Amino acid sequence: MLIPCPKKGGKNTSDVKSKTPSEIRKSSSRQTVTLSRIQHWVLLKAIYEMNIFNQLFPVIRGLRAAKKSYKASFCFSRSLRDSSVEVHSQEQEVIIALGSNVGDRLHNFDEALQKMKKSGIQITRHACLYETEPAYVTDQPRFLNSAVRGVTKLQPHELLKVLKKIERDMGRTDGIRYGPRPIDLDILFYGNHTINTDILTIPHERIQERPFVMAPLVDLFGLDIDDYTIKLENIFSKRSGGLFETWEKLGGESLVGKDGMERVVPIANQLRNLSSKTSIMGILNVTPDSFSDGGKYLSTQSAVCQVQLMLSEGADIIDLGAQSTRPMASKLSAKEELDRLMPVLEAVKNMPEMEGKLLSVDTFYSQVAAEAVSKGAHLVNDVSGGQLDSSMHSVVATLKVPYIAMHMRGDPSTMQNSENLEYNDVCKEVAYELYTRVSDAELSGIPAWRIIIDPGIGFSKNTEQNLDILVGLPLIRSEIARRSLSVSHAPLLIGPSRKRFLGEVCGRPAAAERDPATIAAVTSGVLGGANIVRVHNVKDNRDAVKLCGAMMERKRSYPCQGKHN
């Protein structure tokens, strides 16, 4: 039996309910985590990414409520059989690491997650995907690694039994230790418990020496403190000084992109590092009423010619849309949208020039998304983030394609209403609302590693707010990081192309005259961290993106220290 150790006065830890930071601050002197440790941990978290350095002091102020914490103390008595270890709780939060280097690694992850769900493990958060060089036994294929956070009513050894069965069912056999395997599922944490039996050790041993485990592990948390991160910090600090401290000692974020570890996104049966260079998404609207090019590409032939032009000018992705989302646009049915879209999509998909390129469908209908993906689309671009079709998230989860979640309030007919333009701090509120939609998508089964985020320039924002978003991309990432590091690492897409706010700033009422302003906006966005830019004029924006890439590479190679001779 796993039994809580009794405290003085007759109380034990099973009587202690989860506490808020304010309750933690008022808790008794018997709690054992020292102020210095918590302060040290908070500081490490706050400086975890350079992009949030300017937010350091507000973060610390927000975390002061957690200066004191509690450490649940447990004693363990083992019965004759290890499988009898029990935790007296209806539901426990668990963290499980995933690894694969045999067969279709991503498919193995998807299958394992489905089997976990059917076995009573509800997944609530996903880390990013990391492709890594093998450790210990180096003469084998590269691994795909990640981790998930979830809840289960399974007892620790029941959970272990379930995961081992999933491994066997998926073809794992006893072989070389640390050798090739189709799937590897390890329990990293089980609630806030420490377990040490003949067949199960929690926290998982050797976590602290493995960057391929630590990177996805820290992804599952946010920089804002919460009860569970406090509990895990207490457990982890017994071994190595703390979760975030251990990650920083290994090298932290500086390890990603080098030393055999890349953060990747699965698209079109490939793993792509979308942070290595900015991708160009060319816009093709097969609509009569889009604000910039409505009516120009209604025939399949004209649409194909425009795609050929954009590809020749350097587009990486073609975004097909058959429904206008300009302000006050009338709404088509899913059937009407499909009637417009599908002939063009099938013709574009079969173009030889599309070899190695990506095809995205711009829709807020799950029916359209499903049909488009079945005919060859690689991504779903949803301007509503799932708000306009309650089935969108669950459908995309089954499609297993990347999902672009954009921020918008209301719908195209209401998004510019005065109530939808009310913000106290547009970047912070957009970040929060965007995070909540991504969180809903995760709970529906879309892993964070398939999410692309878009702050929605031109949607539910006025001119000043659009400018704030454009210059505030690092702040949006840092605000999301407070809640989820994995979502903050998601590729970021911006779409300022020819938008009305550019015309208002530059005095250009005609959309076609806004290309120079678009180039300036794209330049600002790329330098601010955008990974994908959605544009009408591919040629000129491609040059801007290339120059930004060269500048950022030069800065990384020879960072300016502000010193002058």
Side-chain angles (χ1 to χ4, degrees):
M1 300 287 287
L2 178 62
I3 307 169
C5 292
K7 292 263 188 178
K8 293 180 180 179
K11 293 185 178 181
N12 62 54
T13 53
S14 63
D15 299 320
V16 180
K17 297 181 179 179
S18 298
K19 300 183 180 182
T20 64
S22 61
E23 290 172 327
I24 293 169
R25 186 173 61 244
K26 298 175 183 178
S27 57
S28 74
S29 60
R30 290 177 298 185
Q31 298 166 342
T32 59
V33 175
T34 63
L35 177 61
S36 60
R37 181 176 295 283
I38 291 298
Q39 286 178 322
H40 186 56
W41 174 63
V42 168
L43 182 59
L44 282 168
K45 289 176 63 180
I47 65 174
Y48 176 67
E49 293 180 334
M50 290 305 294
N51 282 345
I52 65 162
F53 185 78
N54 290 334
Q55 309 304 313
L56 177 61
F57 293 105
V59 169
I60 290 176
R61 283 198 301 269
L63 298 178
R64 280 176 179 165
K67 284 181 179 177
K68 291 185 178 180
S69 178
Y70 63 90
K71 179 165 64 177
S73 300
F74 291 88
C75 62
F76 303 87
S77 62
R78 288 176 50 202
S79 66
L80 295 177
R81 296 181 61 189
D82 290 330
S83 60
S84 65
V85 174
E86 294 181 333
V87 175
H88 295 289
S89 173
Q90 288 297 308
E91 198 169 68
Q92 290 289 331
E93 191 152 13
V94 295
I95 295 177
I96 299 169
L98 298 89
S100 174
N101 74 333
V102 173
D104 187 334
R105 299 170 298 173
L106 185 63
H107 173 76
N108 293 342
F109 276 20
D110 289 332
E111 184 178 350
L113 291 179
Q114 284 298 314
K115 289 179 180 293
M116 288 163 63
K117 181 178 179 180
K118 291 178 181 178
S119 301
I121 307 164
Q122 180 186 353
I123 307 301
T124 57
R125 287 194 179 194
H126 307 73
C128 301
L129 279 184
Y130 295 88
E131 190 173 36
T132 64
E133 295 290 347
Y136 309 117
V137 179
T138 58
D139 186 19
Q140 58 178 320
R142 287 166 64 88
F143 273 85
L144 198 61
N145 292 103
S146 190
V148 294
R149 185 170 163 179
V151 293
T152 185
K153 294 181 179 180
L154 294 170
Q155 300 298 316
H157 286 76
E158 291 176 334
L159 176 60
L160 177 65
K161 184 177 179 180
V162 163
L163 297 182
K164 291 300 181 185
K165 183 178 187 303
I166 292 173
E167 290 180 341
R168 290 193 302 272
D169 290 348
M170 293 181 61
R172 180 162 180 189
T173 59
D174 294 334
I176 302 172
R177 191 180 187 192
Y178 307 127
R181 72 287 306 269
I183 194 69
D184 187 17
L185 302 173
D186 288 325
I187 306 171
L188 301 183
F189 292 96
Y190 184 94
N192 62 330
H193 304 296
T194 300
I195 300 173
N196 190 5
T197 70
D198 290 343
I199 61 173
L200 182 60
T201 300
I202 299 176
H204 191 276
E205 58 185 347
R206 308 187 78 171
I207 291 176
Q208 63 271 18
E209 68 183 46
R210 300 175 175 180
F212 60 88
V213 176
M214 290 298 304
L217 176 58
V218 297
D219 281 349
L220 296 173
F221 300 92
L223 295 177
D224 276 2
I225 199 167
D226 61 28
D227 284 354
Y228 190 52
T229 52
I230 292 173
K231 293 172 185 177
L232 292 195
E233 182 71 8
N234 293 339
I235 297 171
F236 205 85
S237 63
K238 295 177 183 178
R239 288 187 177 184
S240 55
L243 183 65
F244 283 85
E245 181 179 353
T246 299
W247 175 230
E248 290 301 319
K249 285 179 179 178
L250 286 173
E253 187 66 16
S254 67
L255 295 177
V256 180
K258 62 181 182 180
D259 296 331
M261 184 165 68
E262 282 192 303
R263 188 179 287 128
V264 294
V265 177
I267 313 178
N269 298 318
Q270 294 182 341
L271 297 174
R272 303 194 181 205
N273 181 356
L274 294 184
S275 64
S276 61
K277 72 178 186 69
T278 305
S279 299
I280 300 285
M281 175 183 278
I283 300 169
L284 182 68
N285 291 312
V286 290
T287 59
D289 56 344
S290 290
F291 79 93
S292 176
D293 52 2
K296 293 179 68 175
Y297 310 114
L298 293 179
S299 73
T300 300
Q301 182 179 359
S302 62
V304 167
C305 288
Q306 178 62 11
V307 171
Q308 287 175 327
L309 175 63
M310 289 192 290
L311 292 174
S312 70
E313 292 177 342
D316 303 295
I317 309 168
I318 299 298
D319 191 43
L320 294 180
Q323 174 144 212
S324 175
T325 52
R326 63 176 174 78
M328 303 306 298
S330 57
K331 186 177 180 180
L332 296 180
S333 68
K335 182 181 183 304
E336 290 172 312
E337 188 175 328
L338 282 168
D339 289 343
R340 282 184 187 174
L341 177 72
M342 295 314 295
V344 175
L345 187 150
E346 293 187 38
V348 169
K349 180 61 181 175
N350 292 325
M351 292 170 53
E353 296 92 338
M354 282 297 296
E355 182 70 27
K357 304 294 184 177
L358 300 175
L359 188 57
S360 170
V361 58
D362 182 358
T363 184
F364 50 74
Y365 284 128
S366 60
Q367 180 185 347
V368 175
E371 185 68 19
V373 170
S374 73
K375 297 299 182 181
H378 304 113
L379 304 92
V380 174
N381 183 7
D382 180 5
V383 297
S384 78
Q387 292 189 110
L388 299 183
D389 184 338
S390 60
S391 298
M392 179 61 92
H393 289 162
S394 59
V395 168
V396 173
T398 65
L399 297 176
K400 295 180 171 54
V401 296
Y403 177 64
I404 303 171
M406 196 194 79
H407 175 270
M408 177 177 67
R409 292 174 172 177
D411 59 39
S413 67
T414 63
M415 64 183 183
Q416 297 303 115
N417 289 354
S418 58
E419 60 268 26
N420 286 329
L421 299 178
E422 291 182 6
Y423 300 91
N424 292 320
D425 186 316
V426 66
C427 288
K428 290 184 178 181
E429 291 175 55
V430 165
Y432 174 74
E433 292 170 21
L434 192 53
Y435 166 73
T436 60
R437 285 157 209 174
V438 171
S439 180
D440 289 342
E442 278 200 89
L443 291 173
S444 297
I446 305 177
W449 61 68
R450 286 196 174 104
I451 296 289
I452 297 170
I453 55 175
D454 179 349
I457 293 173
F459 290 80
S460 309
K461 288 101 183 166
N462 60 28
T463 295
E464 291 75 16
Q465 291 160 351
N466 284 314
L467 293 172
D468 289 344
I469 292 291
L470 196 55
V471 300
L473 298 181
L475 175 59
I476 290 173
R477 278 202 192 271
S478 70
E479 282 295 309
I480 293 174
R482 291 177 56 194
R483 298 165 178 88
S484 169
L485 285 169
S486 61
V487 178
S488 76
H489 293 317
L492 192 152
L493 181 151
I494 59 167
S497 186
R498 298 179 180 175
K499 293 284 175 71
R500 181 189 299 270
F501 82 100
L502 299 176
E504 291 181 355
V505 171
C506 300
R508 301 289 183 180
E513 297 179 351
R514 299 172 189 162
D515 281 347
T518 297
I519 292 168
V522 163
T523 299
S524 174
V526 173
L527 295 178
N531 306 109
I532 305 171
V533 293
R534 183 177 181 271
V535 296
H536 298 86
N537 180 337
V538 170
K539 181 181 178 181
D540 293 341
N541 283 286
R542 186 71 187 178
D543 287 348
V545 165
K546 284 184 176 180
L547 180 60
C548 289
M551 291 166 61
M552 291 188 292
E553 180 61 33
R554 188 68 178 171
K555 184 177 181 180
R556 284 190 291 268
S557 301
Y558 299 96
C560 177
Q561 301 298 321
K563 297 180 180 180
H564 303 279
N565 294 328

